[in-house]
Amino acid sequence: MVDLIHSNYHLLPVIHRFGFRLGFGNKTVETLCDEYKIDTDFFLTIVNTFQSKDFFPEEKLLTFSPLLIIDYLKRTHQYYKVYSIPHIEKLMNQLQISAAEQNREMKMIEEFYREYKTKLLKHISDEEDKVFPYIVKLVETPTQIENKNLQLSFEEEHENVDLEIDDLKNLIIKYISPRYNELICNELLIEIFRFEKDILNHARIEDTILIPQVKQLQLSI
């Protein structure tokens, strides 16, 4: 596991989502997965999707239980709500303080971010309150589901979220007023770039793996 972190420190948030805590000595990935009761194959597959944007083994991922994927997606949502979004917001506030008062450009950027945050949190809430419980029932107690053919297509919503995070980056890069703290601004942009990469991978797992699994389950009952 130490070698894995050294190979790409950006994997730390992903590793923590599985519940791993630092201080594991020289234990192997397999040993730690056994101790934490985590599917080693699933862990390594998810990690490798973050290692390379060209690595996305659809056939392999489709073999994992939807419940396993949902658990990972919910942990990712928690990371977004507890860390990513508050951290971006904190940097945004610091950037505003560093900019000139009544800065029209900064207000435009902040307003766009607030709207984006509202849409993203609603999307997460809809998945956790409606979509995920439906899928769990579909797996565990399919006979108790009234609408077995419920349509679960979130590709358009994901596309909107993806486009808007890209728009947020461009608003800052292209239109921020020259009077600002460049160190804070750089840190904010780096965090947004990281978040964008993470959320793109998250959406790819949902759209390409989880939704097809659900459609297959619907056909089987």
Side-chain angles (χ1 to χ4, degrees):
M1 187 69 83
V2 173
D3 293 337
L4 184 63
I5 294 172
H6 277 294
S7 70
N8 183 359
Y9 66 89
H10 291 295
L11 291 173
L12 277 168
V14 182
I15 291 170
H16 284 150
R17 281 172 215 173
F18 283 88
F20 293 120
R21 306 287 296 180
L22 298 181
F24 33 66
N26 292 319
K27 293 179 181 178
T28 65
V29 169
E30 185 176 7
T31 298
L32 284 166
C33 285
D34 287 342
E35 288 182 4
Y36 281 81
K37 294 180 172 52
I38 292 168
D39 187 304
T40 306
D41 210 10
F42 180 68
F43 170 74
L44 289 174
T45 303
I46 293 295
V47 164
N48 283 325
T49 64
F50 279 87
Q51 283 276 46
S52 171
K53 65 178 182 180
D54 297 323
F55 179 84
F56 195 75
E58 290 185 29
E59 291 186 9
K60 181 69 174 178
L61 284 164
L62 284 167
T63 65
F64 295 116
S65 166
L67 302 182
L68 199 60
I69 294 174
I70 286 174
D71 181 66
Y72 168 74
L73 294 175
K74 289 173 71 174
R75 288 173 183 267
T76 305
H77 285 171
Q78 186 68 8
Y79 174 74
Y80 292 163
K81 291 187 289 185
V82 172
Y83 176 76
S84 295
I85 294 173
H87 188 48
I88 289 173
E89 197 161 305
K90 178 182 177 181
L91 292 170
M92 191 78 72
N93 291 335
Q94 290 177 350
L95 185 62
Q96 180 195 26
I97 294 171
S98 76
E101 292 184 9
Q102 304 300 321
N103 187 314
R104 182 168 58 96
E105 293 81 8
M106 192 62 222
K107 287 185 177 181
M108 175 183 66
I109 292 168
E110 283 186 304
E111 183 175 347
F112 186 91
Y113 168 74
R114 284 197 299 269
E115 291 177 358
Y116 171 77
K117 174 187 171 184
T118 299
K119 291 178 184 177
L120 177 63
L121 290 177
K122 182 181 182 306
H123 176 71
I124 289 174
S125 177
D126 285 344
E127 287 189 345
E128 296 198 342
D129 296 341
K130 300 174 185 177
V131 179
F132 293 166
Y134 168 78
I135 297 173
V136 171
K137 283 185 178 180
L138 194 60
V139 173
E140 296 182 341
T141 55
T143 57
Q144 297 181 16
I145 296 179
E146 295 181 3
N147 184 5
K148 297 179 181 179
N149 296 314
L150 181 67
Q151 296 299 312
L152 300 177
S153 177
F154 285 84
E155 292 179 14
E156 185 176 348
E157 289 185 39
H158 285 152
E159 185 176 354
N160 291 335
V161 169
D162 299 343
L163 288 173
E164 289 189 17
I165 193 71
D166 188 57
D167 288 340
L168 177 61
K169 290 186 312 184
N170 286 326
L171 277 176
I172 298 172
I173 295 169
K174 293 181 179 180
Y175 301 114
I176 191 168
S177 171
R179 295 182 61 189
Y180 65 89
N181 184 309
E182 65 274 15
L183 297 179
I184 295 174
C185 188
N186 290 346
E187 187 177 353
L188 172 61
L189 280 171
I190 290 169
E191 189 60 35
I192 292 174
F193 271 101
R194 286 175 181 162
F195 181 63
E196 180 185 37
K197 181 180 179 181
D198 198 302
I199 208 165
L200 282 170
N201 199 68
H202 181 81
R204 186 168 57 162
I205 291 173
E206 290 186 342
D207 295 336
T208 313
I209 306 303
L210 188 60
I211 299 306
Q213 284 183 326
V214 171
K215 290 179 180 178
Q216 188 62 42
L217 285 168
Q218 289 173 330
L219 289 173
S220 66
I221 58 177

Short mmCIF file of all heavy atoms in Angstrom, two decimals, residues 49 52-59 61 201 204-205 208-209:
data_model
loop_
_atom_site.label_atom_id
_atom_site.label_comp_id
_atom_site.label_asym_id
_atom_site.label_seq_id
_atom_site.Cartn_x
_atom_site.Cartn_y
_atom_site.Cartn_z
N THR A 49 -8.66 2.95 -12.09
CA THR A 49 -9.40 3.88 -12.93
C THR A 49 -8.97 5.32 -12.66
O THR A 49 -9.08 6.19 -13.52
CB THR A 49 -10.92 3.77 -12.71
OG1 THR A 49 -11.24 4.13 -11.38
CG2 THR A 49 -11.41 2.36 -12.99
N SER A 52 -5.22 6.01 -14.33
CA SER A 52 -5.16 6.31 -15.76
C SER A 52 -6.55 6.56 -16.31
O SER A 52 -7.46 5.73 -16.11
CB SER A 52 -4.50 5.15 -16.53
OG SER A 52 -4.61 5.34 -17.92
N LYS A 53 -6.73 7.68 -17.00
CA LYS A 53 -8.04 7.99 -17.58
C LYS A 53 -8.40 7.02 -18.70
O LYS A 53 -9.57 6.90 -19.08
CB LYS A 53 -8.06 9.42 -18.11
CG LYS A 53 -7.13 9.67 -19.28
CD LYS A 53 -7.24 11.11 -19.77
CE LYS A 53 -6.34 11.36 -20.99
NZ LYS A 53 -6.45 12.75 -21.47
N ASP A 54 -7.39 6.33 -19.25
CA ASP A 54 -7.64 5.38 -20.33
C ASP A 54 -7.99 3.98 -19.81
O ASP A 54 -8.35 3.11 -20.59
CB ASP A 54 -6.41 5.28 -21.25
CG ASP A 54 -6.10 6.59 -21.94
OD1 ASP A 54 -7.05 7.29 -22.32
OD2 ASP A 54 -4.91 6.93 -22.08
N PHE A 55 -7.83 3.80 -18.49
CA PHE A 55 -8.13 2.49 -17.90
C PHE A 55 -9.55 2.51 -17.34
O PHE A 55 -9.84 3.19 -16.35
CB PHE A 55 -7.14 2.17 -16.78
CG PHE A 55 -7.41 0.84 -16.11
CD1 PHE A 55 -6.91 -0.34 -16.65
CD2 PHE A 55 -8.15 0.76 -14.94
CE1 PHE A 55 -7.16 -1.56 -16.04
CE2 PHE A 55 -8.40 -0.46 -14.33
CZ PHE A 55 -7.90 -1.62 -14.89
N PHE A 56 -10.44 1.79 -17.98
CA PHE A 56 -11.80 1.67 -17.47
C PHE A 56 -12.37 0.34 -17.95
O PHE A 56 -13.04 0.27 -19.00
CB PHE A 56 -12.67 2.83 -17.96
CG PHE A 56 -13.97 2.95 -17.18
CD1 PHE A 56 -13.97 3.46 -15.90
CD2 PHE A 56 -15.16 2.55 -17.74
CE1 PHE A 56 -15.15 3.56 -15.17
CE2 PHE A 56 -16.35 2.64 -17.03
CZ PHE A 56 -16.34 3.16 -15.75
N PRO A 57 -12.09 -0.74 -17.21
CA PRO A 57 -12.51 -2.09 -17.63
C PRO A 57 -13.99 -2.34 -17.38
O PRO A 57 -14.39 -2.85 -16.32
CB PRO A 57 -11.64 -2.98 -16.74
CG PRO A 57 -11.44 -2.18 -15.50
CD PRO A 57 -11.40 -0.74 -15.92
N GLU A 58 -14.82 -1.98 -18.34
CA GLU A 58 -16.26 -2.10 -18.17
C GLU A 58 -16.69 -3.53 -17.85
O GLU A 58 -17.51 -3.75 -16.95
CB GLU A 58 -16.98 -1.62 -19.44
CG GLU A 58 -16.88 -0.12 -19.64
CD GLU A 58 -17.70 0.34 -20.84
OE1 GLU A 58 -18.72 -0.31 -21.15
OE2 GLU A 58 -17.32 1.34 -21.46
N GLU A 59 -16.15 -4.48 -18.58
CA GLU A 59 -16.55 -5.88 -18.35
C GLU A 59 -16.22 -6.32 -16.93
O GLU A 59 -17.00 -7.01 -16.28
CB GLU A 59 -15.86 -6.79 -19.36
CG GLU A 59 -16.36 -6.62 -20.79
CD GLU A 59 -15.75 -7.64 -21.73
OE1 GLU A 59 -15.09 -8.58 -21.25
OE2 GLU A 59 -15.93 -7.49 -22.95
N LEU A 61 -15.81 -4.31 -14.23
CA LEU A 61 -16.63 -3.59 -13.27
C LEU A 61 -18.07 -4.12 -13.25
O LEU A 61 -18.71 -4.13 -12.20
CB LEU A 61 -16.62 -2.09 -13.60
CG LEU A 61 -15.34 -1.35 -13.21
CD1 LEU A 61 -15.26 0.01 -13.92
CD2 LEU A 61 -15.26 -1.15 -11.71
N ASN A 201 -14.95 10.78 -13.06
CA ASN A 201 -14.79 9.34 -12.86
C ASN A 201 -15.99 8.75 -12.13
O ASN A 201 -16.46 7.66 -12.45
CB ASN A 201 -13.51 9.06 -12.09
CG ASN A 201 -13.04 7.63 -12.24
OD1 ASN A 201 -12.61 7.21 -13.31
ND2 ASN A 201 -13.11 6.88 -11.16
N ARG A 204 -18.82 8.43 -14.55
CA ARG A 204 -18.54 7.35 -15.50
C ARG A 204 -18.91 5.99 -14.90
O ARG A 204 -19.48 5.14 -15.59
CB ARG A 204 -17.05 7.38 -15.88
CG ARG A 204 -16.67 6.40 -16.96
CD ARG A 204 -15.30 6.64 -17.52
NE ARG A 204 -14.24 6.62 -16.52
CZ ARG A 204 -12.95 6.47 -16.80
NH1 ARG A 204 -12.56 6.35 -18.06
NH2 ARG A 204 -12.05 6.46 -15.84
N ILE A 205 -18.63 5.80 -13.62
CA ILE A 205 -18.99 4.54 -12.95
C ILE A 205 -20.51 4.39 -12.89
O ILE A 205 -21.05 3.30 -13.15
CB ILE A 205 -18.38 4.48 -11.54
CG1 ILE A 205 -16.85 4.35 -11.64
CG2 ILE A 205 -18.96 3.32 -10.74
CD1 ILE A 205 -16.14 4.46 -10.32
N THR A 208 -21.92 4.17 -16.83
CA THR A 208 -21.44 3.06 -17.65
C THR A 208 -21.56 1.71 -16.97
O THR A 208 -21.63 0.68 -17.65
CB THR A 208 -19.96 3.30 -18.04
OG1 THR A 208 -19.81 4.64 -18.50
CG2 THR A 208 -19.51 2.36 -19.13
N ILE A 209 -21.59 1.69 -15.64
CA ILE A 209 -21.61 0.42 -14.91
C ILE A 209 -22.93 0.22 -14.15
O ILE A 209 -23.65 -0.75 -14.37
CB ILE A 209 -20.43 0.33 -13.93
CG1 ILE A 209 -19.11 0.56 -14.68
CG2 ILE A 209 -20.44 -1.03 -13.23
CD1 ILE A 209 -18.84 -0.37 -15.83
#
